[in-house]
Amino acid sequence: MCGIVGYVGGQSALDVVVAGLKRLEYRGYDSAGVAVLADGGLAAAKKAGKLVNLEKELVDRPLPGGSVGIGHTRWATHGGPTDANAHPHLDNAGRVAVVHNGIIENFAALREELAERGHTLLSETDTETVAHLLAEEFSSVGDLAEAMRLVCRRLDGAFTLVAVHADQPDVVVGARRNSPLVVGVGEGENFLASDVSAFIAHTRSAIELGQDQVVELTRDGVTVTDFDGAPADVRAYHVDWDASAAEKGGYASFMLKEIAEQPKAVADTLLGRIDGAGRLTLDEVRIPGAVLREADKVVIVACGTAFHAGLIAKYAIEHWTRIPCEVELASEFRYRDPILDQRTLVIAISQSGETMDTLMALRHAREQGAKVLAVCNTNGSTIPRESDAVLYTHAGPEVAVASTKAFLTQLVACYLLALYLGQVRGTQWGDEIHAVVRDLARIGDDVERVLETMEPVRALARSLADKDTVLFLGRHVGYPVALEGALKLKELAYMHAEGFAAGELKHGPIALVEEDLPVVVVVPSPRGRSVLHDKIVSNIQEIRARGARTIVIAEEGDDAVVPYADHLVRIPATPTLLQPLVATVPLQVFACELATARGNEVDQPRNLAKSVTVE
Ligand code: M6R
C-alpha cells in the first residue's frame, strides 16, 4: 500500500510528482502529500483524504517551483488518516523530508530514543522517526545516500523510503526492503516510484531495485548500493506498455475499462505459448523438467481474487496431472507449519507481485526447500524476483482496486501451467493439450459475447441496489466463481455477500434464505458431469421453495434451469474446467453496476488499496 514518487530533472517537480501520484492513487487514498526543494529550503504540503484535497490545497497555498521533489499517497497503518499523519514527514529543522511505504516494526523504540535526544515528533506514524534519524546522520556524514544507508541498517520491518534534504538539493535518495521501488531513467531527469505507471508518461526505461538497496538519483545519474555501500547489481528493462494503457480511455472507470479489456488480456496471455513442433513452451518456467517430473505435491498460495484463481487451478492441476494440489490463503500458510520439501512445487499467484502475505509464504516455502513458481502480472516485482520461476500473465496494468482482467489471465496462466505439467510428466497427450489450448483460444470471443449481452445484468443490478444481502452458490469450479462474485460485491457495493458451495446449503446457510433474497447460482455445464448439473438444479429448487429470488447463470441451451430462474443470465457453452472464464464476467459487471447504483466509487472502494504490502 501507499504510492511513492520521487523526481529530479528539468521539469517542475510538483507537476511531475502530482501527476505520478494520480497514477498511484489506487495504492492508497487516505491522504496525500508532496515536498519540493526550492530557494535553498524545503516546502511541503499534505492533506487528509484523496489526492484532490491536496490539489486544492496547492491551489490555495502554492509551493515554490523547484525541480527536485517527492510525493506520497497513503493507505494508513500507524496513525489515522489525518493531515498530521500524512506524508512527507520532516525533521524538526524542516530540512529533510521523507515518504514511506511499509511498516517500521521497531519504531516505538526509535521514537523513545529520539525523544530522549530532544526531538519532537508531531505525528503518530512510524515514518516520522526516519526523518529525524536521517537529519542526525546527515549532520555527521553530509551525504543523504550515506545517511540513508546508516538509518536503514537500524530499521526492522518493511520499507520503501524516499527522501530529500535541503542541504543536498540536487539529489533524491531511495531505499528498499520488502516493498516495491522502481527507477525510471530519463534524459536529464530520473524518477523513483512504487510502480512504473507513475513515470510511464516520461520514460519506458526502468531499473528494478533489489532487496536492501539504496539508490541515489541526480539529473544525470543513478547509483545503487547495498546497505553497506557496496555497488549493487540491478536489472534494467523496457516497459512494454505505454501511458495510454494506464488511462481510462473514455470509460467511466478503470474497472469498466479493465472488464472490457478481458478478451484481449486472455489472448495476450496465450500468445506464443506453443512452439513450431506443437509443444507448449512456457519460456519463463525455468524449473528443470526433472524437478517438475519428481514433484509429488503442488501447493498454491495467494490472497483474495488470486486465491480464487488458485482454487480453480486446483481442479485443472489434479485432473490433468494427477498430482495432489492444496490451495491455501497466503496469510495463513506459514503459521500452520506446512509440510513442504524439495518435491513440493509451490505456485504463488499475485497480480501485483508485491502482496506481503504471498511474499512471506513463498519465502517460507523456499526455506523448506520447495521450488516456487510465480504467476504474476507485474514485470520486475518482488514475488517473481524471489521465485525460482515465473509465468507472466499479460493483462497489462490493472488499476482498479477490484481485480478483473488479472483474474481471468491468472486462470489462463494456471491452465497453461497445468497442461505444461501434464506434458512434462506425460499425463497428457499432445493432442489432448492442443484440444484445450484450442478451447482456450476461443474463450476471448466467448468473453466478448458475454460482454455484449450484459444490459439485462446491469438493469438487474440497479434494481437490487437497496438490498442488504446477496448470496452466491456454485459447485465444482463454479464454487470459487461464487466466492469471487461475493468478494466483488463486498468490496465494491459494501453489501453482505457470501459465496457457498451449493451442496453445503442444507448444512446451515439455507437458514439465511428468506422471501425475495437474491441468490446468484452458477450452474455447471450439463454436458460435463451431468450429475453435478442435476444436483445444482435441485439446489435452485430448494432455495426457490423458500422464497429466494434466483439469478441463474447457465450455459446457452441449458433448458433444465429455465423453470426455476427468476432471472436467467446466459453464458456460452465451454468445457467444464474452463467455464469460470466466462461465468465470472457477469458477476464483475453485476458488482460494478450495483456499486455504482449505490453511489460508490468503484475504482477506489473504501478502506482498500490495490497492493497490500503489509501483513
Ligand atoms: O496483487 P495480488 O494479486 O497479490 O492481490 C491479492 C488481493 O489483494 C487482491 O486480489 C484483492 O483481493 C482484490 N482487491 C480483489 O478484487
Side-chain angles (χ1 to χ4, degrees), residues 41 125 130 160 228 246 308 329 340 491 506:
T125 66
V130 177
T160 296
D228 293 320
H308 297 154
L329 287 167
L340 307 161
E491 71 175 331
K506 54 194 171 300

Side-chain angles (χ1 to χ4, degrees), residues 4 6 8 162 172-176 180-186 189-196 199-200 203-210 213-218 221-224 234-239 380:
I4 287 181
V8 46
V162 173
V172 176
V173 167
R176 170 177 189 272
L181 187 62
V182 195
V183 181
V185 184
E189 59 182 358
N190 287 306
F191 308 79
L192 276 175
S194 305
D195 85 42
V196 296
F199 54 71
I200 192 73
T203 178
R204 290 165 74 176
S205 297
I207 295 175
E208 187 182 304
L209 290 179
Q213 293 184 349
V214 167
V215 56
E216 182 191 75
L217 293 192
T218 59
V222 177
T223 311
V224 186
V234 290
R235 185 179 80 94
Y237 64 101
H238 181 75
V239 183

Side-chain angles (χ1 to χ4, degrees), residues 303-306 349-355 358 383 401-403 410 484 487-488 491 608-612:
C303 299
T305 289
I349 308 176
S350 174
Q351 186 285 130
S352 62
E354 300 295 346
T355 300
T358 311
I383 287 172
V401 165
S403 190
Q410 284 161 355
E484 176 60 8
L487 176 63
K488 285 281 117 30
E491 71 175 331
L608 291 171
K610 180 85 180 152
S611 282
V612 185

Side-chain angles (χ1 to χ4, degrees), residues 476-552:
H476 194 254
V477 288
Y479 167 44
V481 173
L483 295 176
E484 176 60 8
L487 176 63
K488 285 281 117 30
L489 204 59
K490 271 183 264 210
E491 71 175 331
L492 295 172
Y494 318 148
M495 286 169 83
H496 173 225
E498 277 195 73
F500 297 108
E504 275 296 294
L505 263 193
K506 54 194 171 300
H507 300 290
I510 200 163
L512 292 169
V513 177
E514 56 187 12
E515 199 56 36
D516 210 33
L517 175 83
V519 183
V520 179
V521 189
V522 183
V523 179
S525 166
R527 297 165 304 108
R529 295 184 104 180
S530 58
V531 62
L532 209 63
H533 174 268
D534 297 349
K535 285 196 192 318
I536 211 161
V537 175
S538 302
N539 298 143
I540 301 173
Q541 293 176 62
E542 287 155 16
I543 51 168
R544 204 154 181 264
R546 288 161 178 83
R549 182 169 353 164
T550 56
I551 302 162
V552 176

Side-chain angles (χ1 to χ4, degrees), residues 250-473:
Y251 286 87
S253 65
F254 279 107
M255 184 173 179
L256 283 173
K257 177 185 175 229
E258 287 158 10
I259 289 173
E261 284 172 345
Q262 293 184 112
K264 180 173 185 308
V266 165
D268 287 351
T269 302
L270 284 168
L271 219 62
R273 305 297 196 183
I274 300 269
D275 70 10
R279 288 177 65 79
L280 260 184
T281 50
L282 305 184
D283 281 343
E284 312 104 302
V285 177
R286 299 282 177 219
I287 299 176
V291 176
L292 296 178
R293 271 189 291 279
E294 275 159 30
D296 61 5
K297 180 165 73 167
V298 173
V299 177
I300 300 178
V301 288
C303 299
T305 289
F307 172 69
H308 297 154
L311 290 175
I312 294 165
K314 171 186 167 79
Y315 290 85
I317 290 170
E318 292 192 336
H319 190 62
W320 289 335
T321 72
R322 309 308 297 152
I323 318 174
C325 176
E326 297 167 13
V327 190
E328 181 131 0
L329 287 167
S331 52
E332 289 293 321
F333 182 66
R334 65 186 173 129
Y335 302 106
R336 72 164 171 89
D337 197 11
I339 300 166
L340 307 161
D341 59 28
Q342 292 81 345
R343 297 184 68 187
T344 313
L345 174 65
V346 171
I347 302 174
I349 308 176
S350 174
Q351 186 285 130
S352 62
E354 300 295 346
T355 300
M356 187 57 73
D357 295 304
T358 311
L359 179 62
M360 290 303 174
L362 84 81
R363 283 187 185 162
H364 182 79
R366 293 192 80 197
E367 278 161 18
Q368 314 300 307
K371 287 274 182 268
V372 177
L373 192 153
V375 171
C376 185
N377 195 42
T378 312
N379 195 332
S381 56
T382 311
I383 287 172
R385 276 179 65 89
E386 296 204 14
S387 299
D388 298 287
V390 58
L391 183 56
Y392 279 111
T393 54
H394 294 292
E398 191 181 66
V399 178
V401 165
S403 190
T404 53
K405 61 176 180 170
F407 177 68
L408 258 57
T409 58
Q410 284 161 355
L411 291 180
V412 171
C414 287
Y415 291 132
L416 289 173
L417 190 55
L419 291 172
Y420 183 72
L421 286 173
Q423 175 178 285
V424 172
R425 296 166 69 95
T427 55
Q428 289 289 303
W429 306 121
D431 57 341
E432 292 170 322
I433 293 171
H434 281 171
V436 181
V437 173
R438 266 197 306 275
D439 289 335
L440 281 169
R442 279 194 286 266
I443 289 284
D445 291 342
D446 291 338
V447 172
E448 194 71 68
R449 276 173 56 210
V450 175
L451 289 170
E452 283 162 8
T453 56
M454 282 298 94
E455 196 40 51
V457 171
R458 281 191 280 270
L460 172 65
R462 290 192 292 273
S463 75
L464 297 176
D466 59 350
K467 292 284 179 194
D468 299 321
T469 299
V470 180
L471 301 185
F472 294 77
L473 305 180

